[in-house]
Each structure stands twice: as C-alpha cells, then as structure tokens.
Amino acid sequence: MMDALGRPQSLLLLGGTSDIGLAIVARYLDGRPLRVVLAARDSPRLKEAVARLAGRGAVVEVVEFDAAEPQTHAAALGQCFARRDIDMAIVAFGLLPDQRAAMDDPAIAVQTASVNFTGAVSVGVILAREMRAQGHGVIIALSSVAGERPRQANFLYGSAKAGMSAFYDGLADSLIGTGVRVVVVRAGFVRSRMTAHLPAPPLAGTPERAAAAITQAVWRGRAVVWTPRSARVLAGVIRVLPRGVLRRIPF
Ligand SMILES: NC(=O)c1ccc[n+]([C@@H]2O[C@H](COP(=O)([O-])OP(=O)(O)OC[C@H]3O[C@@H](n4cnc5c(N)ncnc54)[C@H](OP(=O)(O)O)[C@@H]3O)[C@@H](O)[C@H]2O)c1
C-alpha cells in the first residue's frame, strides 16, 4: 500500500533502465525501505541500475522483460505480483527511431509500433487486472507530447504515442472506483539516453525534473501530467496550427 505520504512501498519499473523511470525510483527511495522490481532486457546498463539502487538501500529484483514480445508479458508480470503486492507500476519502455531510417525499413517501423503501442497496451491490460485483484495501485504511463498531433518529422513515434495516450486515458476512466489509478505523463523533450543524440531545445527538461513533476502529480491525485511545463503550451499551439503550417515544421 502507499504510505501516509503517498509513496509506494513496492514499485515495478517496466523498462528497468529508463533514465526517467530510474529518476522516479530515486525520488521514492530517499533513505526508506523500497522493493523495486526492474523488468528489463539484460544489459550492462541493467546491472549498473541494480547496483546503484541496491547501494542506496533498495531491495531489488530483476525480471526478464521484452516489450516487443507480448506473448511473454502475462508470465513476466505474473512473477512480479506473485510474491507481494505492487503499489506502483511505471510503463517506461519506449523507442525513438530515426524516422527516415524507419520509413525505409518496415522492420524498424513495426518494432517502433510494437514497443511503444502494442507493448504498452499489453502491459496495461495485465497491470489493470493484477491491480484490480489486489484492490489498489498506481500505474504511471510515460507517453509523449509527440502523440498530441504527430508532425512529419516524427509521426511514426508520434502515432504510437498517440495510441498509448488514448489507451491509458481510457484505462484511467475504466478503473475509477476500483482503487487503481492511472497517471498519463505527456512529456516534452527530456535530456535522457533516448534523446542524447538530438540537439536539445532551450526548454528541455531533465529526468530529475520530470520525476519531481510526476511524483507531485501522483501525490495530488492528477490523471495527467505535462513535463516540462512548457510541453502543455507547445501541445496547445501544435494542436491548433493549420495543417499547411504544421507540414512545414522541419523538426
Ligand atoms: N526523453 C524524452 O524526451 C521523452 C519524451 C517523451 C516521452 N518519453 C518516453 O519516456 C519513456 C522513457 O524514456 P527515457 O527518456 O527514460 O529514455 P531511455 O532511458 O532511453 O529509456 C527507454 C527504455 O526503454 C527500454 N526499451 C526499449 N525497447 C525495449 C524492449 N523491446 N523491451 C524492453 N525495454 C525496452 C530501454 O531498455 P534497454 O536499456 O534494454 O534498451 C530503456 O529502459 C519512453 O517511453 C519514452 O518514449 C521520453
């Protein structure tokens, strides 16, 4: 169960090496006992995350997880819920491909849709079922402003994130009264491993600032959070731009 300050005692990070996800975990750790389950593909980065969290006092478990293999999700997530309740699950996996490369290679395009949309739907259905059964829980879905109105430079990623946002908004409404809550994060540009190769815009956020906004939204019982705050303004503008103007935006 969440403690009196609205913090989880057990947390599942799907995409266990995500910079934003790990920044959220770090905020909840803060010198208190926390069970953290990292659901991820095996990698040196995963081992590093395990060592870092354990070094800060977390009880860390690892579950093998590939977002692009939905047929394995029920068993993988089943392991996470088998031993104890999960108070919070963060859906943090995602892929931001080079759009041009993806449009030349259907395999990249399909992988992008599979991870960002199909994988997110698959775990969302399972998390909702498991959390409804335990009678409580918070699901944090890391979606993107790119999904508010896909632009030509990133409509592949944007269309999958649009689907993800729509799914988790609907899931949130469907879970009212069950004790399970969903927070949909509409993130703008955050400097993380995902965006490290891109020029950062002036108002780019950091994983730590995103984590602060997200944990505050959980505490306040919000269903949606925009981070950085400028993302909301940006989305408002992009949504009303005439299509002919939007088409000319090069980024
Ligand atoms: N950074 C931004 O500007 C931004 C903006 C809006 C939304 N978001 C969203 O926020 C989430 C977290 O991104 P981040 O910024 O923290 O980037 P990140 O550090 O690169 O995290 C992405 C995560 O996705 C995982 N992943 C990718 N494909 C996977 C697969 N097939 N199976 C399992 N895990 C997989 C990666 O795991 P590996 O280590 O195994 O590759 C990594 O843990 C993503 O959904 C992203 O779309 C980010």
Side-chain angles (χ1 to χ4, degrees):
M1 298 287 268
M2 304 289 265
D3 71 9
L5 294 175
R7 298 171 303 183
Q9 299 180 59
S10 58
L11 192 155
L12 165 62
L13 180 59
L14 291 146
T17 61
S18 149
D19 285 343
I20 299 175
L22 288 168
I24 300 172
V25 177
R27 275 194 86 81
Y28 282 127
L29 243 175
D30 206 14
R32 55 190 275 278
L34 184 66
R35 173 188 171 222
V36 181
V37 185
L38 299 180
R41 300 181 292 190
D42 192 23
S43 68
R45 201 174 172 220
L46 176 62
K47 291 185 177 69
E48 198 187 297
V50 172
R52 199 162 1 116
L53 294 176
R56 291 194 53 192
V59 176
V60 190
E61 294 163 34
V62 171
V63 167
E64 201 179 315
F65 172 77
D66 188 333
E69 303 284 345
Q71 71 282 4
T72 64
H73 291 177
L77 271 67
Q79 279 183 57
C80 307
F81 283 85
R83 292 210 282 126
R84 261 183 58 188
D85 285 7
I86 296 282
D87 298 331
M88 175 178 285
I90 307 171
V91 182
F93 54 81
L95 266 187
L96 175 63
D98 178 77
Q99 163 99 14
R100 270 194 219 151
M103 293 309 288
D104 280 339
D105 183 347
I108 300 176
V110 169
Q111 176 81 354
T112 304
S114 303
V115 171
N116 292 328
F117 180 63
T118 311
V121 169
S122 168
V123 301
V125 171
I126 298 166
L127 290 172
R129 187 183 64 194
E130 296 285 348
M131 287 186 168
R132 260 198 326 258
Q134 67 183 21
H136 69 98
V138 177
I139 301 170
I140 297 176
L142 296 185
S143 193
S144 172
V145 163
E148 296 300 299
R149 193 172 174 203
R151 291 165 283 120
Q152 65 155 307
N154 74 346
F155 66 84
L156 179 59
Y157 174 78
S159 60
K161 287 296 192 184
M164 179 185 183
S165 295
F167 172 79
Y168 279 93
D169 283 344
L171 188 68
D173 291 344
S174 77
L175 290 169
I176 285 172
T178 63
V180 184
R181 284 203 292 131
V182 180
V183 181
V184 184
V185 181
R186 284 162 159 88
F189 193 106
V190 176
R191 293 171 210 260
S192 70
R193 185 180 63 147
M194 179 175 278
T195 54
H197 61 292
L198 299 171
L203 294 175
T206 62
E208 292 71 27
R209 263 183 276 151
I214 292 164
T215 52
Q216 192 178 55
V218 171
W219 168 242
R220 292 189 170 164
R222 301 259 196 267
V224 174
V225 53
W226 300 84
T227 182
R229 279 201 197 146
S230 56
R232 185 174 196 167
V233 179
L234 182 71
V237 172
I238 284 182
R239 233 181 270 130
V240 297
L241 278 182
R243 190 137 173 205
V245 176
L246 187 70
R247 199 178 297 136
R248 281 188 214 107
I249 295 180
F251 51 85

